[in-house]
Structures are given as structure tokens and as C-alpha cells.
Amino acid sequence: MAPHATETTSPPSVGNEYNTTTDVVVLASSRAVVEDCLGPATIVVSPSTGRITSLFHSVLPPTSFPPGTPYIDYSPNVLLPGLVDAHVHLNEPGRTEWEGFWTGTRAAAFGGVTTVVDMPLNAIPPTTTVQGLEEKVAAAQGQCWVDVGFYGGIVPGNVAELKPLVQGGVRGFKGFLIDSGVEEFPAVSSQDIAAVFEELADEPTTVMFHAEMIPPITASVGDDVQWSLPPLEPSGPLDRYQTFLDSRPVSFETYAISEILSLAHLAPKLLLHIVHLSAIEAIPLLREARHNGIKITAETCFHYLSLAAEQIQEGDTRHKCCPPIREQANQDGLWAEMLDIEDSVIRTVVSDHSPCTPNLKLLPSHIPGSRIDKPAATCCATASQGDFFTAWGGISSVGLGISILWTEAMRRSLDVDDTLLNVARWCCANTALQIGLEHRKGMLKVGMDADIAVFDPQAEFDVGTEAMLFRNKCSPYQGRRLRGVVQETWLRGRKVHSREGGFVEKVGPTGELLLEPRTV
């Protein structure tokens, strides 16, 4: 089945009678993930309030409701909570040619994601100040297809901005322990982290880290890693993925996490989080820390759970990201940890949608999406095509995540019902909890936002340009066949997308900017 998607610059009207003309809409299915159970359900939603008003653990017939009440039975498709992608780079303003609110949130809605949280870097200015946050919010006005939250950034010297950013409604903070790749968002030192912990020790927020750090080893090229140079001396040709993988070993992650944990005592109540965990060798460190009472969790990404180093072709820089995609055995270890549901340190799965313009990827001519006739600007212009060290890092996948995850789970012959429950935990309930929105998002429950993804576990599609609705059609998933299709996406009681009808023109505001003060 090929998914339907439109490429117009404004959302098409498809005559959505369920948007504004009635007080309630009824959605039912023989299979729905309601709180932490899978079974039949009838969900009554209010388009005017955007909330779930009542819920029944059976499929009620249309005659149970007043005549004329819109009623849809989606059986045997599954009703899931709308996904919460808690790690997305939208880049606008400043680098809107990489990604923007319109295209990025539209891609999210296509894949059942009803809430995204935008990372604080790659925009200009970054959200490291209240002024930067205000510019972000202004840029997002009127452009969002789904609800959007914002993170604040941690950089050297901005400690005084952190509490005002909390009051401004940021959903957490992110800092880098290694060069971020953009000069306006430098890495923090251990001294900076200590100051941040002391400043935010009693705040209702989460401090997150890109946990890579150069350990004191002789092969290092220096203390200051530049994005255009390898962190470690290359072990082979620069277009071989193994050469790139060797340059960012697991010790980068374990050393950084050890450094963070060594400072955690400064803020024992503060929630800590490791973004895009790649190396399984870090898991024992995090497990021990949690056992000792440190409030730390980790996320991993769809690409670490579905791609493996052994399968990456020479020069296919679509796969470059940091930390890197590691070997198949490492992927297996991440799955094993996640499936230990009660004790896993990996609580969430996110996209880390991190796009750039295709020319910055330096793709050689044999790789789909190559722009070999359009040389990259600035430092990349003289680099060789397929150079993993000079090509920009980042994986584009927002809106494809649930299908990527489902495809891999089914390849592993995991139980269908258990996997549906796990997807709702990893990508809905736990991501909502991570960003302090568990009172509104991530669960089908009376009083919660009526965010619903109608999921067909059996349908399949090929990832072509019509399925990659993010701005730049450059992704390692291009050309792959994925299983599991979101047939419809409902945001706060209104259908915003369907595979049959495309995007729905809504009356009134689209996505909401989630800026209320956080409580945990």
C-alpha cells in the first residue's frame, strides 16, 4: 500500500464533517491501547474542548449515541495515543532551508505524531536565552500542524537565563559535552555543568545531555573537537563507514556519562536524561546510578534500533549521525534492554530528526538523493563526495518512526499485542512524562487531549518522496519497505490527516504552542 500525501503549500479541504459542526465525535475499535491495556474501546471526543469526554471498554453501536452523532468504527485497526516525539530539530528561524515548522510538523502528523518538542540548537538564534525562545515562538505562529513544545539550551555563560526559561515554559534543557557542530551552541565543561545543576537543583525541569566526550587517550586529535575534523585519527578511507565508526568509539559515551553522574550529587532532585543513547556499554553505568537513587533516564532512536554498521555502503553519508550507528550486536543489546520493561534505563524512543540540505551530506552519485552537480558551500565545497568526516551529521525520519519501529519489531518476531503496548509506552506515555505533559498527552484517558493515531499493523508502504514530508528528501530509509501505517491522525479531537484524503484544512488554529509552566 502506498501512502497518500500531498505536496501543496496549503492544506487541502477534504470536507471534514467531524471538525466543528458537532459537540462530540465517537471513535471506536476492537483494538485500542487505553492507558496500559489493549482491548476494545469506544472513545468520545469533543472537538470544541479538544479532550476525551468519555471512554468505554467495549465497542458501542452508533445507536448508543444521539442521532446524527459522527461515529467511526476503525476495527480492526488500532487506536493509539498520538505519538510524542520528544527530540526533533526544526531549525527555524535561521536555518529554515534545513527544516521549518510547516514542513516538519506536517511530516510528524503524517506519521501519527501529535506533539513534537523542538531542540534548542541549529536555529539562529538558539533558545539559550529568553529572547531566543521568544523568536522561536514567533517563528512558529500559525505554521504548526501538531502541538509543539520547546527546549532551552545550556551553553557556557547562560546560567542566569535558565530559571527565566523555565518560567517561559521550556520543557527541559539540552547541553553538549562535545562540539555541537554550530558555533552559536558551544559545548559545556564540567564546571559549567556544576553551575547548571546548582542553579536548577529545585526547578521542575529536566537537564539533558548529548553524552559524548573525548576521554584522555593518546589517539585523540585534541581537546577541542571541530565538526570538520575526525575526533580520532582515521583508521582507513574516509568514505568507509567503519572508519567513521572507529573515530567515535563507545568510550566517548561512557566517559561523558561517567562525568555527568559524578556531578549528579549537586542536584539530587533534578531529573537528568541522556539523549540518543547509542552504546550498550553505557547501560550498566546508568543502571547502577538509578539503583543508587540518581534520577536519570535515557532515550534511544529509531535509527539505532533499525540500522546497523555492517549494512552501510561506502559513501552513504545519509547514515552519519553522532553518536554513530553501531554494529548489529549493539542494536540487539538496545532491544534487549528496552524489552526489560520494568527496569530498563531506556524509557523513550524518539526520532532525533536532524536534517540538513542534501548538498551538505556530500552524497556520491550512486546514493539516492545525491546532489553531486550542486557542490556544498563553505567548508564542505572542497571535500570528497561520500566523506563521512566532513559530511553533515543527522538522520531525517520524523513521521516515519512508528513504521520503522514496527517493521523492526515484526522482523524480530516480537508479540504483536505486547509490541503495541510497548510502542505506546516508549513513544507516547513515557515521552509525555519526560517533558512534563503527562497530564495532557501520551495516553487515551478521560480528560486528556484527544490525540489519536489510527494504526494499521498489516499495511506496508515504500518510502519514497511522497512519504518523506520533511523539507529535504534525504534519509537512509528512502527506498525501504516499511510495515505499519498510520491511517489517520487526530489532534485534540480533530482529524488533521488521513492516508486516503490527505491533510485536512481546519477552521481556527492548528497546532498549539506548549508554553505553560511545567509541573512534575
Side-chain angles (χ1 to χ4, degrees), residues 219-286:
S220 172
V221 299
D223 294 332
D224 182 19
V225 177
Q226 301 177 48
W227 73 277
S228 59
L229 294 175
L232 300 184
E233 293 294 342
S235 60
L238 301 187
D239 64 348
R240 280 185 59 228
Y241 184 75
Q242 188 63 48
T243 307
F244 174 68
L245 182 58
D246 290 345
S247 78
R248 296 186 91 100
V250 297
S251 59
F252 278 32
E253 290 190 73
T254 56
Y255 185 66
I257 290 171
S258 295
E259 190 72 10
I260 294 162
L261 295 175
S262 74
L263 298 167
H265 67 278
L266 298 173
K269 294 188 292 184
L270 185 63
L271 303 178
L272 306 178
H273 184 72
I274 304 301
V275 300
H276 48 52
L277 182 72
S278 166
I280 58 173
E281 288 84 352
I283 290 172
L285 297 175
L286 294 168

Side-chain angles (χ1 to χ4, degrees), residues 199-383:
E199 180 74 2
L200 295 177
D202 296 314
E203 294 296 317
T205 193
T206 300
V207 177
M208 310 180 299
F209 293 99
H210 179 127
E212 285 187 291
M213 197 173 184
I214 303 173
I217 50 179
T218 57
S220 172
V221 299
D223 294 332
D224 182 19
V225 177
Q226 301 177 48
W227 73 277
S228 59
L229 294 175
L232 300 184
E233 293 294 342
S235 60
L238 301 187
D239 64 348
R240 280 185 59 228
Y241 184 75
Q242 188 63 48
T243 307
F244 174 68
L245 182 58
D246 290 345
S247 78
R248 296 186 91 100
V250 297
S251 59
F252 278 32
E253 290 190 73
T254 56
Y255 185 66
I257 290 171
S258 295
E259 190 72 10
I260 294 162
L261 295 175
S262 74
L263 298 167
H265 67 278
L266 298 173
K269 294 188 292 184
L270 185 63
L271 303 178
L272 306 178
H273 184 72
I274 304 301
V275 300
H276 48 52
L277 182 72
S278 166
I280 58 173
E281 288 84 352
I283 290 172
L285 297 175
L286 294 168
R287 278 184 171 265
E288 182 181 5
R290 287 170 60 85
H291 177 76
N292 292 334
I294 296 175
K295 300 180 185 299
I296 190 166
T297 54
E299 67 189 36
T300 194
C301 302
F302 302 118
H303 44 275
Y304 298 133
L305 296 171
S306 61
L307 304 175
E310 295 92 334
Q311 302 166 359
I312 299 174
Q313 297 181 59
E314 288 189 2
D316 193 350
T317 53
R318 296 176 303 174
H319 294 79
K320 180 184 176 178
C321 59
C322 299
I325 295 163
R326 302 194 187 278
E327 298 85 353
Q328 183 64 56
N330 187 85
Q331 181 194 117
D332 295 342
L334 292 173
W335 274 98
E337 174 66 15
M338 288 170 47
L339 291 170
D340 185 1
I341 300 299
E342 296 300 321
D343 295 325
S344 177
V345 301
I346 302 173
R347 311 302 295 174
T348 54
V349 184
V350 296
S351 69
D352 187 13
H353 175 66
S354 188
C356 66
T357 53
N359 60 329
L360 292 176
K361 278 292 188 181
L362 298 177
L363 291 171
S365 59
H366 68 280
I367 300 297
S370 172
R371 296 292 188 273
I372 201 165
D373 57 326
K374 298 179 180 180
T378 66
C379 61
C380 299
T382 59

Side-chain angles (χ1 to χ4, degrees), residues 335 404-415 419 426:
W335 274 98
I404 295 167
L405 197 59
W406 189 258
T407 300
E408 181 61 25
M410 295 304 97
R411 186 186 73 82
R412 292 172 176 271
S413 301
L414 300 182
D415 181 82
T419 302
W426 297 328

Side-chain angles (χ1 to χ4, degrees), residues 94 109 239 482 491:
D239 64 348
L482 297 181
L491 174 69

Side-chain angles (χ1 to χ4, degrees), residues 84-98:
V84 179
D85 193 340
H87 191 146
V88 175
H89 294 263
L90 293 175
N91 302 341
E92 187 176 4
R95 291 189 174 94
T96 308
E97 71 276 13
W98 292 16

Side-chain angles (χ1 to χ4, degrees), residues 16-23 25 47-48 493-494 506-508:
N16 179 19
E17 66 271 33
Y18 307 121
N19 272 349
T20 58
T21 59
T22 60
D23 291 333
V25 177
S48 59
R494 301 174 183 227
K506 298 177 289 297
V507 177

